[in-house]
Amino acid sequence: MFEAEQKAVEIKIQEYCRTNQLPEISAQWNSIPFSGQWGISTSFFQMAAQEARQGKAVNVAQRAQELAAGVKAFLGEPEGFERLEAVKGYLNLYFSTAEYTRRVVDTVLEQGHDFGRGALKGERVMVEYSQPNTHKEFHVGHLRNVILGSCVCNLLEFAGFDVVRANYIGDIGLHVIKWLWNYLKYHNGEEPAADRVRWMSELYTEAVRRIEDEPGAEDEVRALFMRWDRRDPEIVELWKKTREWSLEGFQQIYQLLDVHFDHIYFESDVEDSGKGMVNELIARGIARDERPDGPVIVKLDEILGNQDEKYRVLVVLRSDGTSLYATKDLSLAIEKFEQFHLDRSIYVIDVRQSLYMQQIFKTLEIMGYPWAKNCYHLAYEIVNLPGNVTMSSREGTVVLLDDLMREATSRAVEIVKIKNPDLSPEKQGEIAYAVALGAIKYSMLSRDNTKIVTFDWSTALDFNGQAAPYIQYAHVRASSILRKMDGPLPKPLTPEQPLEPTEIALIDLISRLPREIQRASADLRPLYLASLAYDMARAFNDFYNQCPVLPAEPCVRASRLRLVAAARQALANTLAILGITAPQAM
RNA sequence: GCCCCUGUAGCUCAAUGGACAGAGCACCGGACUUCUAAUCCGAUGGUUGUGGGUUCGACUCCCACCAGGGGCGCCA
């Protein structure tokens, strides 16, 4: 937020270097890592090392300190800073606290829910996430994808990108045929139970078990797939009906999680165009048709002339002519770019599909699509159960989303009843829901994408410590003070009293938000914001405990009230990006 | 065999190549007549898997190795 002052100092440093024939090094600014002080710093080790390399006999650490001291003397008293120091090779510039406090607070309050928003970048990005399969379960493992994908969309949008939120639903494929086979043979005519996703899931598990146990079942399934391929009206009709059951269930889940999509693709929509593409690949000599004895394959390493095995072989069509995931993904990628004129296409898919993703992107590149290099696989690690057990419906090792939400909410309700017994049951329910969902989302977003999440009930239902409720509670406390302030928010003012260290720490963190949003969106890592939200909440709680607001002297009171309002806004904006509700009471 | 990810406090995790590697949980001891104690304060806890290298400076980058997980022709 202080780019102008930073830049001015940078120019002066460059001037100093030129007049003293010093190597010019671009300044790397950091915040000063000591609490209770607020400013920026840069170091002169690089410059000193550069001199050493040029043949000057210098001790780098000593020389860095000399340079820092020299620059400090040269800078004098630059605009916007109240104190400079040269320590251990670092040049520290301390902000004019009162002036910058006012600037940060005023900026936050003027921009409101847009505080932290980046300038429009004129770049359109599609993010594909969730990708549930119909006729199957929706468990806690799938939850990470939805939460991460949705948050990445919020993040990119807030950072200034034009985001298209896309879902890609697996409504056809071997898993669907297996389900249909079981339904036709053992459940024909049955209607789904109230919890549709659970009912669909149970039948799928049953289907898989039967296919393993029953001799001849696999042949029947294959025959059924061929009937689908011929678009046998009876099968198509059943497929439409049962597919709808899953889709209705998914809608409920997305509503529950408060996520939405701009566009939904279906695998069944790109199946035919995908097969067409496979023919094109064969005709152009990119794919080799080994049918009927083998599938249609793209020998990527051979085409690229790789000696080592890097991209291996991509199978694009089964030997019996039925489609695969790859068949459809190739044509879908093209459709996305053509339909939405994308600059970038992000796939939020778990890390196990990394090779597959690279194969798809590379095949598109070989086909000559220039945008293929703008496809990106955002890989995240899966959610396991304790003991590194993978969630699997066949093994019965799944935690269903519905069960998790119900358990978390009921636990939160118990706490709300104790903390806030006077609220209406409806209000209590609302708060409990916000807390429960927030806790679940935060536990996934506060872990780096490459880290495996181990799901266990006690951790998932722990609302203490570094978790969403802690952050939400800070927001509640700020809201509570503002509710009781009796009158309008004081007008902008420059604090006259010296600020407490906790106030400075809080303002410092708030001022970092715009930059952290850019950093998080560049790296596609919500973790940065999850951490900042927690740090802000902790700083606010410190401030809350040490600095009375409402009973303070009028001048101090006014200044602190504005700070409380700014903190509340910064917390709310960060939580909004994380997809977590910021309640008024808890 | 090839490729990818992970390895940091007892546990779960943070840490733009920078100053003293930080939080939470757990454990121990404190603080509600107060703007909401879903909070705060204090104490304990480290050879950043190992060995080299690059660098003024390495948890961070490079190489090798060790341990765990994952992927590698007709699942998605």
Side-chain angles (χ1 to χ4, degrees):
Chain A
M1 283 184 78
F2 316 109
E3 289 81 4
E5 287 78 4
Q6 218 173 70
K7 192 80 202 160
V9 170
E10 266 173 49
I11 288 167
K12 293 275 280 182
I13 293 177
Q14 278 165 15
E15 193 185 319
Y16 179 80
C17 291
R18 272 196 302 277
T19 51
N20 293 284
Q21 272 113 52
L22 294 167
E24 284 194 41
I25 306 279
S26 64
Q28 303 287 319
W29 295 104
N30 288 301
S31 49
I32 297 168
F34 310 111
S35 61
Q37 303 178 74
W38 187 22
I40 53 174
S41 77
T42 187
S43 67
F44 291 86
F45 300 108
Q46 266 184 310
M47 200 179 283
Q50 183 72 29
E51 283 188 319
R53 272 194 293 277
Q54 286 167 359
K56 256 190 181 178
V58 292
N59 172 299
V60 171
Q62 232 171 52
R63 179 62 180 154
Q65 174 58 20
E66 272 173 39
L67 290 166
V71 171
K72 173 185 179 298
F74 179 74
L75 287 174
E77 293 177 355
E79 189 66 35
F81 299 96
E82 63 186 14
R83 189 162 69 87
L84 270 61
E85 67 181 7
V87 188
K88 292 160 126 180
Y90 293 85
L91 176 68
N92 296 333
L93 297 93
Y94 293 97
F95 289 141
S96 311
T97 312
E99 186 187 317
Y100 275 165
T101 293
R102 172 169 182 166
R103 194 196 298 182
V104 172
V105 170
D106 288 358
T107 302
V108 175
L109 294 177
E110 273 163 27
Q111 298 182 351
H113 62 263
D114 284 328
F115 171 65
R117 190 180 284 280
L120 292 179
K121 292 181 164 44
E123 184 182 334
R124 179 171 290 177
V125 186
M126 176 176 280
V127 180
E128 179 197 296
Y129 66 101
S130 191
Q131 308 110 333
N133 285 326
T134 62
H135 304 76
K136 281 178 101 169
E137 79 283 357
F138 202 109
H139 60 64
V140 171
H142 301 122
L143 191 59
R144 188 173 190 182
N145 186 305
V146 181
I147 291 170
L148 174 63
S150 172
C151 179
V152 163
C153 289
N154 298 342
L155 183 55
L156 288 170
E157 201 165 82
F158 209 76
F161 294 96
D162 178 7
V163 176
V164 184
R165 296 157 193 261
N167 198 346
Y168 178 40
I169 296 181
D171 62 344
I172 193 57
L174 193 55
H175 66 281
V176 177
I177 304 298
K178 284 177 180 174
W179 192 97
L180 292 177
W181 169 83
N182 183 53
Y183 182 83
L184 278 171
K185 200 161 176 182
Y186 297 100
H187 298 273
N188 208 354
E190 284 180 27
E191 295 283 321
D195 186 341
R196 308 202 147 183
V197 174
R198 187 187 300 264
W199 184 79
M200 298 294 285
S201 164
E202 281 164 2
L203 260 63
Y204 179 75
T205 308
E206 189 182 297
V208 172
R209 208 186 55 235
R210 285 209 165 104
I211 290 162
E212 274 181 1
D213 295 348
E214 280 183 35
E218 279 189 40
D219 290 337
E220 291 174 27
V221 169
R222 237 191 313 277
L224 192 59
F225 209 151
M226 295 306 287
R227 282 180 72 189
W228 158 261
D229 239 34
R230 291 194 304 271
R231 297 297 185 269
D232 180 323
E234 189 198 343
I235 302 305
V236 172
E237 203 49 44
L238 181 64
W239 169 74
K240 275 187 186 161
K241 190 167 80 175
T242 56
R243 166 187 186 271
E244 203 55 40
W245 291 339
S246 274
L247 296 181
E248 284 165 11
F250 294 158
Q251 271 319 306
Q252 287 168 11
I253 289 171
Y254 293 136
Q255 207 169 348
L256 198 76
L257 295 175
D258 191 25
V259 303
H260 70 276
F261 299 94
D262 300 314
H263 192 81
I264 297 181
Y265 292 104
F266 293 98
E267 281 195 33
S268 58
D269 285 341
V270 283
E271 195 181 23
D272 289 339
S273 57
K275 286 182 181 178
M277 271 201 58
V278 170
N279 287 331
E280 186 196 329
L281 285 168
I282 296 168
R284 291 176 58 185
I286 296 170
R288 182 184 305 176
D289 190 355
E290 297 184 337
R291 286 176 293 176
D293 300 324
V296 182
I297 57 174
V298 179
K299 295 189 127 185
L300 286 159
D301 285 323
E302 195 177 293
I303 292 169
L304 296 166
N306 288 340
Q307 296 303 311
D308 48 349
E309 300 175 333
K310 182 157 189 207
Y311 292 102
R312 297 170 183 271
V313 173
L314 178 64
V315 180
V316 292
L317 199 69
R318 283 200 189 86
S319 49
D320 63 5
T322 55
S323 68
L324 286 161
Y325 201 53
T327 321
K328 296 165 272 195
D329 243 332
L330 288 169
S331 66
L332 178 63
I334 297 165
E335 193 173 326
K336 283 176 174 177
F337 274 88
E338 287 180 350
Q339 189 179 359
F340 288 96
H341 310 289
L342 304 178
D343 295 298
R344 189 151 55 118
S345 184
I346 295 172
Y347 294 73
V348 182
I349 298 179
D350 87 65
V351 69
R352 301 182 180 200
Q353 293 186 44
S354 291
L355 174 61
Y356 168 74
M357 282 284 113
Q358 296 317 308
Q359 290 177 325
I360 292 291
F361 300 159
K362 195 48 92 174
T363 302
L364 290 165
E365 199 180 307
I366 289 167
M367 292 179 78
Y369 293 104
W371 43 256
K373 62 182 188 311
N374 299 329
C375 292
Y376 180 78
H377 174 209
L378 175 51
Y380 65 91
E381 263 292 359
I382 59 170
V383 179
N384 277 347
L385 293 166
N388 213 17
V389 174
T390 304
M391 289 202 195
S392 149
S393 47
R394 190 172 43 178
E395 307 289 332
T397 50
V398 290
V399 176
L400 292 180
L401 180 54
D402 197 53
D403 293 333
L404 173 60
M405 281 304 298
R406 188 175 304 133
E407 188 60 36
T409 309
S410 81
R411 178 120 20 149
V413 164
E414 291 312 308
I415 301 172
V416 181
K417 278 181 183 165
I418 296 165
K419 303 287 178 189
N420 244 320
D422 298 334
L423 286 177
S424 68
E426 293 77 36
K427 199 73 198 164
Q428 287 177 340
E430 256 176 55
I431 292 166
Y433 183 73
V435 168
L437 183 57
I440 291 166
K441 286 186 175 182
Y442 191 85
S443 71
M444 300 215 168
L445 294 173
S446 60
R447 192 147 315 194
D448 216 340
N449 301 336
T450 51
K451 286 263 169 56
I452 293 174
V453 169
T454 301
F455 178 90
D456 74 89
W457 284 97
S458 63
T459 309
L461 299 174
D462 187 359
F463 298 151
N464 295 314
Q466 185 169 357
Y470 179 90
I471 302 162
Q472 292 171 313
Y473 186 62
H475 182 268
V476 165
R477 281 178 147 181
S479 303
S480 178
I481 292 175
L482 296 170
R483 205 166 38 239
K484 291 182 177 170
M485 85 181 140
D486 192 29
L489 191 68
K491 294 271 179 293
L493 78 163
T494 308
E496 287 163 23
Q497 76 286 359
L499 295 180
E500 296 293 324
T502 55
E503 293 180 281
I504 294 170
L506 179 57
I507 295 158
D508 179 18
L509 287 166
I510 293 170
S511 74
R512 292 184 194 182
L513 183 57
R515 213 176 129 188
E516 286 300 287
I517 285 168
Q518 293 303 319
R519 200 163 72 91
S521 73
D523 289 3
L524 302 175
R525 305 229 296 229
L527 164 69
Y528 298 158
L529 286 189
S531 297
L532 182 63
Y534 176 74
D535 290 342
M536 285 194 294
R538 199 172 40 166
F540 182 82
N541 278 325
D542 272 354
F543 161 78
Y544 184 93
N545 276 289
Q546 291 178 42
C547 301
V549 178
L550 296 175
E553 295 299 311
C555 168
V556 175
R557 182 180 191 269
S559 145
R560 286 185 180 165
L561 274 172
R562 287 184 64 81
L563 175 55
V564 169
R568 194 197 63 83
Q569 186 72 62
L571 284 168
N573 293 6
T574 312
L575 286 173
I577 295 171
L578 297 174
I580 296 171
T581 306
Q584 300 293 318
M586 274 171 75

